[in-house]
Amino acid sequence: RKAAERREVLEKVNEAIRELPPRQRQAVLLFDVEGKSIKEIADLLECSEGAVKFNIFQGRRKLRLLLEEYVDK
């Protein structure tokens, strides 16, 4: 039962990540999953560090909304 619940949550998370705009998805995955620094991401995406921070912020915000029922409040 726990494994099935974990699978369901993981699928919902993956689905929510796929719904993010490409830049937000890339920034969130590089930062939160791969552990890259803001500077590294800015270099990879060829944008400013401010743009990376904005995309991470917006991406996380959208993920929280999409995953509302799974997030502790």
Side-chain angles (χ1 to χ4, degrees):
R1 178 157 168 82
K2 280 273 192 206
E5 287 175 12
R6 273 196 295 271
R7 263 195 310 277
E8 178 188 348
V9 170
L10 186 57
E11 182 50 43
K12 293 291 182 190
V13 168
N14 286 327
E15 192 177 296
I17 288 170
R18 285 192 296 271
E19 288 187 37
L20 293 177
R23 279 291 178 154
Q24 290 176 13
R25 182 173 54 247
Q26 289 174 313
V28 167
L29 289 174
L30 287 169
F31 189 75
D32 290 323
V33 177
E34 294 189 24
K36 301 264 188 226
S37 71
I38 299 292
K39 171 132 182 44
E40 288 173 311
I41 298 167
D43 291 343
L44 284 168
L45 300 182
E46 299 178 342
C47 64
S48 70
E49 291 181 31
V52 171
K53 290 176 185 177
F54 176 79
N55 281 299
I56 291 169
F57 176 80
Q58 291 296 339
R60 286 175 172 174
R61 191 173 65 95
K62 285 181 185 161
L63 287 174
R64 270 193 301 278
L65 290 172
L66 291 168
L67 298 167
E68 217 167 15
E69 65 187 278
Y70 299 99
V71 177
D72 291 334
K73 296 186 176 162

